[in-house]
Amino acid sequence: GDGCLDSVNLEVFGEVNLKSLSEGVVFLAFCEFIRVSRFFGFCWFGVMKVSEILQHPEELIPLLKFYGKWKKAPELAKQSDDKWKFCFNHLLKVSRSFAMVIMELEPEVRDAVCIFYLVLRALDTVEDDTTVPASRRKVDCVEFYKHIDEAGWSCTGYGKEHEKNLLEHYDIVVDCFLSLKERYQVVIREICQKMGAGMAEHIEDTECYTVDDYNRYCFYVAGLVGIGLSRLFYETGREDKCFVEDEHLSISMGQFLQKVNIIRDYAEDLEEERTFWPREIWSKYVPELGDLQKRSNEGKSLACLNHMVTNALGHVFDCIKYMQRIKNEQVFNFCAIPQIMGIGTLAEVYNNRNVFHTNVKLRRGTTAKLVVETTDFDKLMQLYYSCCVKIESKIPPNDPSYNETKVILQEIMNVCLPHVPTVPNLAILNRAVVVLFAAVVAYLINTRGERDGVFVIWKGGVPDTQEMIAIAAFFLVVTYLFSFFGLQFVKSERSAAAPL
């Protein structure tokens, strides 16, 4: 029937030739599995090519684990009352990635961070809607923080789809905000005020001129978010006062993620006539920012892109220092997952010409792997190290930023190295080999027979093909077990990492 194929992109399968009724039934069952999976949000097979899954089978388990984490967020939203349900559902709609990590926080922290995010997302919608005159947006940004205390206040005329609906029902967000403890309200109100003023300062800018302008813009739209989150973590009692005192670390956390987005979104922003790449950087390579898209400028374009990535990498050391201080597990996951996604994205876009024509993103399997493996600081450092190695392998020898990029990457890798094991992680492979060993032994025992009073591992005569394969597998597995199985128990001899 057509019903089970309505949401399946058949390009995933290529040309399909069904030679029998049984093949058709199997194919339709697979399509139905995809449709149901996509309905529940597990859309990996619907958007990934089967060839991707086959090329990276090690990502299948992380994909399933990631689905489990993602699935929890909508379930938590359903358990709330109507007003909080609205907030949690809109959090899922306007930002799936942040929603997942926010919903895993402890309830008191989760509620404060959710409202903080929605308030700033609503403010960002006002600032970002270029269909509204800049003069009106400027005033509304400056005044926006005042409305968070006005019960019943909402706003029309800004945004599209979910963001538009958020502003039109902003009174619900206000009610939830007013239900928070006063100390959380103070933080959210102050950050909203500062961010609105900063956005208003840049609303009429037609482009970003200097690197200082670039850093200032990223501070207002993201660095302040880092400060606000750190203050919330401190006010909830989950973290120490150093999170409030060392503001430069909080600022770097936000600026880094904002710069990653700006680099990745070059083509999209250019199409919408927005420019965030600083002229001070791109003018060294091309006369106009749009010239980076020209094929004839490919060498210069990639050099400019690599320059931008190197600039963003300059924040990583501060980000690592910040995350090393985190004590609460949920807070750590909340901070670490976006950061590792950020450097993973930089590893993907570095020296990648596709950035100038499309929105380059991590493969879904890579995303899942990064998210589920970021479980503690050691694992985080190992992932940072692998991302830095990937970037380093892509640096062109003649790149103008070659030396600066190498120095920054080496500094990051030196910090990560004490956390990287000296032997590979063979735990999963060892388990698979043990299962294979048990299966082969069981098969050989089952097929052996008694011949002339002597037990042999086949039933007599020349062994058939299956028996030969089983015997070969047996010797290979035994060789592996004697050679490599014990490596997982070897402890690293590197000294423990000192605090940054």
Side-chain angles (χ1 to χ4, degrees), residues 2 4 27 38 56 67 70 80 102 111 134 153 202 222 227 247 291 293 330 375 413 421 429 457 468 486:
D2 294 335
C4 69
F27 177 73
R38 293 183 72 182
H56 305 277
Y67 170 56
W70 187 92
S80 309
I102 290 175
D111 294 349
W153 186 86
H202 292 276
I227 293 175
E247 282 193 349
D291 293 341
Q293 292 183 317
Q330 285 78 25
T375 55
M413 289 190 288
L429 180 59
I457 60 174
M468 291 294 291

Side-chain angles (χ1 to χ4, degrees), residues 254-284:
Q255 285 181 320
F256 174 74
L257 295 179
Q258 183 64 25
K259 289 184 176 183
V260 171
N261 290 337
I262 287 173
I263 294 169
R264 183 197 61 198
D265 296 341
Y266 165 87
E268 180 182 321
D269 289 338
L270 196 66
E271 184 177 343
E272 296 181 4
E273 299 182 349
R274 298 182 298 184
T275 58
F276 297 104
W277 287 34
R279 177 182 285 271
E280 183 179 339
I281 290 179
W282 62 256
S283 62
K284 295 179 179 179

Side-chain angles (χ1 to χ4, degrees), residues 30-71:
F30 184 56
C31 292
E32 182 67 8
F33 166 73
I34 294 173
R35 185 188 69 80
V36 174
S37 297
R38 293 183 72 182
F39 176 77
F40 286 103
F42 186 38
C43 55
W44 309 107
F45 294 104
V47 293
M48 291 176 68
K49 292 185 178 179
V50 174
S51 59
E52 273 191 36
I53 301 174
L54 296 177
Q55 289 171 7
H56 305 277
E58 75 282 358
E59 294 174 351
L60 183 58
I61 293 178
L63 280 167
L64 295 173
K65 289 182 178 179
F66 182 85
Y67 170 56
K69 290 172 71 72
W70 187 92
K71 189 179 177 182

Side-chain angles (χ1 to χ4, degrees), residues 76 117 180 259 286 291-292 308 357 377 398 400 451:
L76 287 171
Y117 183 88
L180 297 174
K259 289 184 176 183
V286 290
D291 293 341
L292 294 173
M308 289 289 292
H357 306 286
F377 190 74
N398 60 344
R451 182 183 180 190

Side-chain angles (χ1 to χ4, degrees), residues 308-327:
M308 289 289 292
V309 171
T310 301
N311 175 274
L313 287 171
H315 295 283
V316 171
F317 192 82
D318 279 349
C319 295
I320 292 175
K321 189 174 182 180
Y322 178 96
M323 289 183 287
Q324 191 180 36
R325 300 181 178 187
I326 299 175
K327 296 180 179 179

